[in-house]
Amino acid sequence: MSALHGRVLHASRLSLTRFAASKLCPSCQCLQVRKFQCITGMGRRLSQVELTSKRYPKLKRGPFATLTDADVSSLERLVSGRVITDKSDLDGYNTDWLRTVRGASTIVLRPKTTEEVSAIVSYCHDRGLAVVPQGGNTGLVAGSVPVFDEVIISTQLMNNIISLDEVSGTLVCQAGCVLAALDDHVAQRGLTMPLDLGAKGSCHIGGNLATNAGGVRLLRHGSLHGSVLGLEAVLPSGEVLDCMSTLRKDNTGYDLKQLLIGAEGTLGIITKASILCPQRPNVVSVALLGCANFQGVLDIFRETKTKLGEILSAFEFMDTASMEMIGENLRLINPISASPFYVLIETGGSNKEHDEEKLSALLEGLMEKGKAMDGTLATDTTKIQAIWGLRERMAEGLLHDGYCYKYDVSLPLPSFYQLVEDMRERVEGSAKRVVGYGHIGDGNLHLNVTSSEYSQHTMDLIEPFIYDWVANYKGSISAEHGLGFKKRDFIYHSKSPSAVALMKQIKNLIDPKGIMNPYKLLPSK
Amino acid sequence: MSALHGRVLHASRLSLTRFAASKLCPSCQCLQVRKFQCITGMGRRLSQVELTSKRYPKLKRGPFATLTDADVSSLERLVSGRVITDKSDLDGYNTDWLRTVRGASTIVLRPKTTEEVSAIVSYCHDRGLAVVPQGGNTGLVAGSVPVFDEVIISTQLMNNIISLDEVSGTLVCQAGCVLAALDDHVAQRGLTMPLDLGAKGSCHIGGNLATNAGGVRLLRHGSLHGSVLGLEAVLPSGEVLDCMSTLRKDNTGYDLKQLLIGAEGTLGIITKASILCPQRPNVVSVALLGCANFQGVLDIFRETKTKLGEILSAFEFMDTASMEMIGENLRLINPISASPFYVLIETGGSNKEHDEEKLSALLEGLMEKGKAMDGTLATDTTKIQAIWGLRERMAEGLLHDGYCYKYDVSLPLPSFYQLVEDMRERVEGSAKRVVGYGHIGDGNLHLNVTSSEYSQHTMDLIEPFIYDWVANYKGSISAEHGLGFKKRDFIYHSKSPSAVALMKQIKNLIDPKGIMNPYKLLPSK
């Protein structure tokens, strides 16, 4: 049952895009999907995914203890009845959402409270057992699955909403709450979560924080480093670090919670958070426009920022290869005429007439000046969801091609699209497609190369070429996905040696035994 | 000359409130004031301020080396011609803006580049000399002045604006740039600094970052933890920590810059920063309203958030004692009828008609419902500045009473004003006045007690009473001013022992000799 839920959580990323969470599973409180449509139906079965230790034969297991029957019994006593050890049930927890890596953990623990997490980590610390924290397991850099046999600590059952202060907008909740469920909850009080992303139907807020998730609303509400007011975490020693403020301002000492945000679970397991939720817009409109070239996309962005000002809530872009892919693979319909580039503009404001007037003035101006070739405006929910689906279901659509080489980079806007064109030329003949889309308002490009199956030759064409390219343009090799297991060795492409050295010192200070999510974020050498 | 400039910087806090910096001093690039109106004219002279070592006789100097003539010569070689050692010139750098503490440093160094800062710190590190970084020296908790004889490293001459990307809104500058000068610079490109505070005319951006300054626009643009994209700092060893990203998103490793933001110069000296500047509103309006009671203030806040939504840019409150004080001490005129409480509402948007319509609808509703007793609306710059002056010149006005016991706390809104009333009752007969004002939109109360001169009896009535009170209501004992020298021993009132223990470990990791801004932020015991 629990493993099915594990898989349902994966599936929900696919089918719950922008789904208002209304029904929760009574046993584990995961989001129930209406139609079970698991990814295993369209690609590799979980057990067919190659073991990470086999795909990366040079990688050595760390000097950690190996789980014994006595350990299992001891851990079972800490979270009685919430331990998974059945092999087939473990597959969903061992394998990443993209089906590109598979660990060999033999145990999943599902605590309900901070005290239970603390007891588990404390036990593992004393025994020298490595652990991996796991939320919704929707990450794209293999950061939340074991590499070898790490003990998996899942936040699935830590899903209590603790409080919501309507006046200040402060939400307090456990780390395992699903983002869509939280958004649904705060919506009832006229508030909105400060982040939104395609995986909202299954990702956990603890995972969002641990990976400093960005998403489509960062443009409006800023990063989680600004929105998170308080945080509680269990450190690698098992000690509870209590930074649970609910205050908007608190300048008393180092802001330790910031270290945990984006640490990808390598410094501790986030157990609770307090988050500032902005006012929910009363009115939302979405426009989809077609452009003749990439310069047109940039021109529209600049014009939009000026004309829409405070009501602009998202500005996304897709290239024509993305739009063709989602038509072929998911049969989604492009509502406007085919164009080389598309932009999606969302507004969210408090006054319908005012917002429509601003948006109409912008769109008319863009059409008149010939910046937009074609466009459509949506104000009703169904049409808005249909347009957002084109953008948010890209990741899902790409999986239908077979294997997806996934990149998520930040680049200065002038060189933004050049990378896609250079990559297309480079992998010609070795890849099925190369598509580019992303959060152009944040300078964040999602570049994806697909082929029917994994090929080391194709991989060698892509890496380290892409990282060198990005470093050369002073970009970031991971804008919002993090480094996880897959990208950690490229950290020097985006961070200075002095910064990485200090990161290592901090890791060593907080986790001297190195048991907390090993083989992630920090470079292997 | 240089010391005069030091003092001009202090004075500019008084007279440059909301001053658009247009003229910079050709020699040190500090902001020139049109009319020199130094604080020393209305209170104690700098040399009359009691030495910190005398007022706090129990405090022991740390085991640091003492500056020798040979040290002075060596340091002089590193920043030739930019060293101050003349006693009378040193007073401005040794004394805090409030004239409440005075250090006994015998040297001020004024580097121009990161390399110079690195060379200085490296020298001091090797010699075991303690240092104190100083920006505009506008802090209110004695964090930027020496306690004993620390070497002062001033960022006064590090005031180059390095770049501004208009499309992304990214500003890159040195740490010694004055906030008002930066705002003026970005305004020319339709952008605004994401923070604004009364001391903008003299505070340095490096100091703003080091103290995680809040101010009146935090409500709209969020905290610096979200707005700062990159940072460069010199660590206590002299090593340069380069985290200078200009990207909006960069999830590659621990976000080390966050540790420096709010560390009050105890982990290193910030030398450069990259900051995201939002679109500047085309239209700004300000309303001042009078309310019969504090519940009315809260009701108006809630109504304002809903009705103004995305155009709300500030929500401040003042009590009647504040308004009376500023009338008596600075002869500023209250433009509406006397009321027990006042709220200041600012809107900033992109469309004049739309904004006025929203604001008018709000104000009419508030008057009709009797929530506001009286009010005035300002749309022209002169009147807007006059209204803002009432709020922003409070700190200046209070100094005219003599001595000011200054507190800056965060509290949950329902208990927000109770503290002022309790304090008034407690210090009756021992204080001239007790006034409350602040950023109610952020839950941030500025509570001030004044008397003609410092009295230990009055101090004992206030502390630790106020900290116990705030801790009891789960507030923060320092919302935005930081802990500095004055409040560090009360850190446990707002932070857990586990958090403080980790802070100490991090301080010890990065600054094992403890030379970087000692006696600040971390508790003495």
Side-chain angles (χ1 to χ4, degrees):
Chain A
M1 179 67 181
S2 51
L4 174 68
H5 286 205
R7 256 181 255 141
V8 168
L9 283 169
H10 291 298
S12 66
R13 170 154 181 145
L14 308 180
S15 48
L16 281 185
T17 299
R18 310 194 65 73
F19 168 80
S22 54
K23 286 176 102 179
L24 294 178
C25 155
S27 87
C28 79
Q29 302 287 306
C30 74
L31 282 168
Q32 285 186 330
V33 283
R34 283 158 192 172
K35 191 182 164 199
F36 187 80
Q37 185 200 4
C38 187
I39 185 168
T40 53
M42 50 176 149
R44 280 167 303 287
R45 292 189 170 278
L46 293 173
S47 56
Q48 288 175 332
V49 177
E50 195 172 22
L51 278 174
T52 310
S53 54
K54 287 200 176 159
R55 177 160 295 167
Y56 301 86
K58 287 181 191 159
L59 186 70
K60 282 207 179 125
R61 184 180 178 281
F64 306 113
T66 302
L67 197 76
T68 63
D69 288 349
D71 291 327
V72 175
S73 301
S74 298
L75 292 166
E76 172 74 67
R77 274 193 293 276
L78 299 176
V79 280
S80 181
R82 286 171 278 126
V83 177
I84 300 170
T85 50
D86 187 85
K87 203 190 162 314
S88 65
D89 288 348
L90 288 165
D91 278 344
Y93 297 90
N94 267 317
T95 316
D96 74 320
W97 183 77
L98 287 171
R99 274 40 177 178
T100 55
V101 292
R102 185 158 64 97
S105 178
T106 56
I107 193 164
V108 176
L109 305 169
R110 305 200 302 159
K112 284 185 173 177
T113 65
T114 303
E115 292 69 30
E116 286 179 351
V117 177
S118 171
I120 291 168
V121 175
S122 190
Y123 181 87
C124 292
H125 176 262
D126 292 349
R127 274 279 293 125
L129 291 162
V131 303
V132 53
Q134 189 174 96
N137 195 13
T138 60
L140 301 171
V141 290
S144 62
V145 286
V147 175
F148 292 98
D149 58 346
E150 299 92 284
V151 170
I152 300 171
I153 303 176
S154 165
T155 52
Q156 260 174 8
L157 307 187
M158 300 181 70
N159 50 13
N160 284 323
I161 295 172
I162 297 163
S163 65
L164 176 62
D165 182 318
E166 287 177 54
V167 180
S168 66
T170 310
L171 169 76
V172 180
C173 65
Q174 280 190 301
C177 291
V178 171
L179 179 58
L182 292 177
D183 195 52
D184 195 43
H185 182 81
V186 303
Q188 293 166 31
R189 298 288 179 274
L191 302 167
T192 182
M193 290 300 287
L195 79 162
D196 187 10
L197 55 157
K200 71 189 289 185
S202 47
C203 62
H204 293 189
I205 191 70
N208 295 149
L209 268 54
T211 57
N212 187 30
V216 296
R217 296 284 147 61
L218 189 130
L219 181 71
R220 174 73 167 260
H221 303 305
S223 93
L224 287 170
H225 286 289
S227 305
V228 175
L229 302 179
L231 196 144
E232 180 194 74
V234 172
L235 298 179
S237 63
E239 192 189 0
V240 178
L241 177 68
D242 175 6
C243 301
M244 272 303 289
S245 171
T246 55
L247 304 164
R248 183 139 190 197
K249 286 177 169 177
D250 174 27
N251 276 351
T252 53
Y254 307 146
D255 198 351
L256 298 175
K257 67 175 182 288
Q258 304 289 354
L259 264 185
L260 275 292
I261 299 172
E264 303 186 43
T266 62
L267 296 178
I269 303 180
I270 295 170
T271 47
K272 270 184 206 155
S274 143
I275 297 164
L276 186 68
C277 298
Q279 284 293 114
R280 197 173 192 89
N282 301 329
V283 203
V284 174
S285 304
V286 169
L288 181 72
L289 306 177
C291 312
N293 49 50
F294 190 69
Q295 185 54 49
V297 173
L298 296 184
D299 293 344
I300 292 179
F301 179 48
R302 192 190 284 231
E303 191 90 357
T304 301
K305 274 179 58 163
T306 313
K307 292 274 166 61
L308 296 184
E310 64 282 358
I311 64 167
L312 177 62
S313 59
F315 193 98
E316 301 285 309
F317 109 106
M318 298 166 270
D319 63 9
T320 195
S322 309
M323 192 64 96
E324 282 168 16
M325 178 281 294
I326 207 155
E328 287 171 30
N329 289 2
L330 296 183
R331 306 201 180 285
L332 299 189
I333 293 159
N334 171 11
I336 63 173
S337 51
S339 310
F341 293 93
Y342 301 87
V343 298
L344 185 161
I345 301 170
E346 187 193 73
T347 63
S350 58
N351 185 303
K352 194 171 188 293
E353 275 174 40
H354 293 172
D355 292 6
E356 282 178 5
E357 209 178 303
K358 287 186 182 102
L359 192 51
S360 300
L362 170 74
L363 298 180
E364 278 164 26
L366 292 174
M367 298 297 273
E368 267 171 32
K369 286 181 201 162
K371 296 286 179 197
M373 296 161 65
D374 190 12
T376 181
L377 177 61
T379 52
D380 69 285
T381 315
T382 312
K383 202 173 161 198
I384 286 176
Q385 285 185 348
I387 294 179
W388 264 118
L390 294 169
R391 167 64 191 83
E392 290 199 319
R393 296 184 67 191
M394 285 289 172
E396 173 192 352
L398 287 161
L399 290 180
H400 287 253
D401 277 358
Y403 192 91
C404 183
Y405 306 83
K406 207 160 202 51
Y407 299 93
D408 158 57
V409 301
S410 280
L411 282 170
L413 291 181
S415 46
F416 197 82
Y417 197 70
Q418 185 63 43
L419 174 59
V420 183
E421 288 169 344
D422 287 4
M423 182 61 77
R424 208 167 266 151
E425 200 178 307
R426 188 171 171 84
V427 299
E428 202 185 341
S430 301
K432 184 163 184 180
R433 35 180 142 225
V434 177
V435 311
Y437 56 91
H439 318 292
I440 197 164
D442 313 319
N444 182 186
L445 170 67
H446 294 316
L447 169 63
N448 293 266
V449 180
T450 65
S451 55
S452 58
E453 55 190 24
Y454 179 81
S455 141
Q456 191 58 44
H457 169 70
T458 309
M459 181 57 117
D460 292 343
L461 282 174
I462 302 172
E463 295 185 13
F465 168 79
I466 185 167
Y467 300 124
D468 292 340
W469 201 103
V470 169
N472 192 35
Y473 283 85
K474 301 199 184 309
S476 167
I477 62 146
S478 187
E480 58 177 16
H481 294 172
L483 296 169
F485 169 69
K486 288 188 179 173
K487 301 187 178 175
R488 61 183 180 135
D489 279 330
F490 299 100
I491 190 170
Y492 290 106
H493 281 68
S494 290
K495 287 286 153 73
S496 66
S498 62
V500 179
L502 184 52
M503 286 180 207
K504 286 181 179 174
Q505 287 179 297
I506 288 173
K507 168 73 176 177
N508 195 43
L509 173 76
I510 296 179
D511 185 17
K513 288 187 170 183
I515 61 160
M516 190 55 74
N517 212 8
Y519 326 107
K520 313 285 169 64
L521 189 136
L522 288 168
S524 55
K525 286 156 207 154
Chain B
M1 180 65 184
S2 51
L4 173 69
H5 286 204
R7 256 180 254 140
V8 168
L9 283 169
H10 292 298
S12 65
R13 170 155 180 144
L14 307 181
S15 49
L16 280 185
T17 299
R18 309 194 64 75
F19 167 81
S22 54
K23 287 177 102 178
L24 294 178
C25 156
S27 88
C28 80
Q29 302 287 307
C30 74
L31 282 169
Q32 284 185 330
V33 285
R34 283 157 192 173
K35 191 183 164 200
F36 187 80
Q37 182 201 8
C38 187
I39 185 169
T40 53
M42 53 174 146
R44 281 166 302 288
R45 289 188 171 278
L46 293 173
S47 58
Q48 289 175 331
V49 177
E50 193 170 24
L51 279 173
T52 309
S53 55
K54 287 200 175 160
R55 177 160 293 167
Y56 302 85
K58 286 181 193 160
L59 187 70
K60 282 203 180 127
R61 184 180 177 283
F64 306 112
T66 302
L67 197 77
T68 63
D69 288 348
D71 291 326
V72 175
S73 302
S74 299
L75 291 167
E76 173 73 68
R77 276 194 291 276
L78 298 176
V79 281
S80 182
R82 287 171 276 128
V83 177
I84 300 170
T85 50
D86 187 86
K87 204 191 162 313
S88 65
D89 288 346
L90 288 166
D91 278 345
Y93 297 90
N94 266 317
T95 316
D96 74 321
W97 184 77
L98 288 171
R99 279 29 180 183
T100 54
V101 291
R102 184 158 64 95
S105 179
T106 56
I107 193 163
V108 175
L109 305 170
R110 305 200 302 159
K112 283 185 175 178
T113 65
T114 303
E115 293 68 32
E116 287 180 350
V117 176
S118 170
I120 292 167
V121 175
S122 190
Y123 180 88
C124 292
H125 176 261
D126 292 348
R127 274 280 293 126
L129 291 162
V131 303
V132 53
Q134 189 174 95
N137 195 12
T138 59
L140 300 171
V141 290
S144 61
V145 287
V147 174
F148 293 98
D149 57 347
E150 298 90 286
V151 170
I152 300 172
I153 302 177
S154 166
T155 53
Q156 260 172 9
L157 306 187
M158 301 181 69
N159 48 15
N160 283 322
I161 295 173
I162 297 163
S163 65
L164 176 62
D165 182 317
E166 287 177 52
V167 180
S168 66
T170 309
L171 169 77
V172 180
C173 65
Q174 279 191 301
C177 291
V178 170
L179 179 58
L182 291 177
D183 195 52
D184 195 43
H185 182 80
V186 303
Q188 292 166 31
R189 297 289 179 273
L191 302 168
T192 182
M193 291 299 288
L195 78 162
D196 187 10
L197 56 157
K200 72 189 289 185
S202 47
C203 62
H204 293 190
I205 191 70
N208 294 150
L209 268 53
T211 57
N212 187 30
V216 297
R217 295 283 149 61
L218 189 131
L219 181 71
R220 173 74 166 259
H221 302 305
S223 94
L224 287 170
H225 286 288
S227 304
V228 175
L229 302 180
L231 195 144
E232 180 194 74
V234 172
L235 299 180
S237 64
E239 191 188 1
V240 177
L241 177 69
D242 175 6
C243 301
M244 272 304 286
S245 171
T246 55
L247 304 164
R248 184 141 188 193
K249 286 177 170 177
D250 174 25
N251 277 351
T252 54
Y254 308 146
D255 198 352
L256 297 175
K257 66 175 183 289
Q258 304 290 354
L259 263 185
L260 275 292
I261 299 172
E264 303 185 44
T266 62
L267 296 179
I269 303 181
I270 294 170
T271 46
K272 269 184 208 154
S274 144
I275 297 165
L276 186 69
C277 299
Q279 284 293 114
R280 198 173 192 89
N282 302 328
V283 203
V284 174
S285 305
V286 168
L288 182 72
L289 307 177
C291 311
N293 49 51
F294 189 70
Q295 184 54 48
V297 173
L298 296 184
D299 293 345
I300 292 177
F301 179 48
R302 189 188 285 230
E303 191 92 355
T304 301
K305 274 180 55 162
T306 311
K307 293 274 166 61
L308 297 184
E310 64 282 357
I311 64 167
L312 177 63
S313 60
F315 193 99
E316 301 285 309
F317 109 107
M318 297 165 269
D319 64 8
T320 195
S322 309
M323 191 64 96
E324 283 169 15
M325 178 280 293
I326 207 152
E328 287 171 28
N329 290 1
L330 297 182
R331 306 200 182 283
L332 299 189
I333 292 158
N334 171 10
I336 63 174
S337 51
S339 310
F341 293 93
Y342 301 87
V343 297
L344 185 163
I345 301 169
E346 187 193 73
T347 63
S350 58
N351 185 303
K352 193 169 188 293
E353 274 174 40
H354 294 172
D355 292 8
E356 283 178 5
E357 209 178 303
K358 287 188 182 98
L359 192 51
S360 300
L362 170 74
L363 298 180
E364 278 165 26
L366 292 174
M367 298 298 272
E368 266 170 31
K369 286 182 199 160
K371 296 286 178 196
M373 296 162 66
D374 191 11
T376 182
L377 176 62
T379 52
D380 69 285
T381 314
T382 312
K383 201 173 162 196
I384 286 176
Q385 285 186 347
I387 293 178
W388 264 118
L390 293 169
R391 166 63 190 84
E392 291 200 318
R393 295 183 68 190
M394 286 287 171
E396 173 193 353
L398 286 161
L399 289 180
H400 287 252
D401 277 358
Y403 192 92
C404 183
Y405 307 84
K406 205 156 204 51
Y407 300 93
D408 157 55
V409 300
S410 279
L411 282 169
L413 292 180
S415 47
F416 197 83
Y417 198 70
Q418 184 63 43
L419 173 59
V420 183
E421 289 171 343
D422 287 4
M423 182 62 76
R424 209 166 265 149
E425 199 178 307
R426 187 169 170 88
V427 299
E428 203 186 344
S430 302
K432 184 163 181 180
R433 22 178 153 232
V434 177
V435 311
Y437 57 90
H439 318 292
I440 198 164
D442 313 318
N444 182 187
L445 170 68
H446 293 317
L447 169 64
N448 293 266
V449 180
T450 66
S451 55
S452 58
E453 55 189 24
Y454 179 81
S455 142
Q456 192 58 46
H457 169 70
T458 309
M459 182 56 117
D460 292 343
L461 282 175
I462 300 173
E463 294 184 13
F465 168 79
I466 185 168
Y467 299 124
D468 292 341
W469 201 101
V470 169
N472 192 35
Y473 283 87
K474 302 200 184 307
S476 166
I477 62 146
S478 186
E480 59 177 15
H481 294 171
L483 295 170
F485 170 69
K486 287 188 179 174
K487 301 186 178 174
R488 61 182 179 137
D489 280 329
F490 299 99
I491 190 171
Y492 290 106
H493 280 69
S494 290
K495 286 286 153 73
S496 65
S498 62
V500 178
L502 184 52
M503 287 180 207
K504 286 181 178 174
Q505 286 178 298
I506 288 173
K507 168 74 175 174
N508 195 45
L509 173 76
I510 296 178
D511 185 16
K513 288 187 169 182
I515 62 160
M516 190 55 73
N517 212 8
Y519 326 107
K520 313 285 169 63
L521 190 136
L522 288 167
S524 55
K525 287 155 208 155

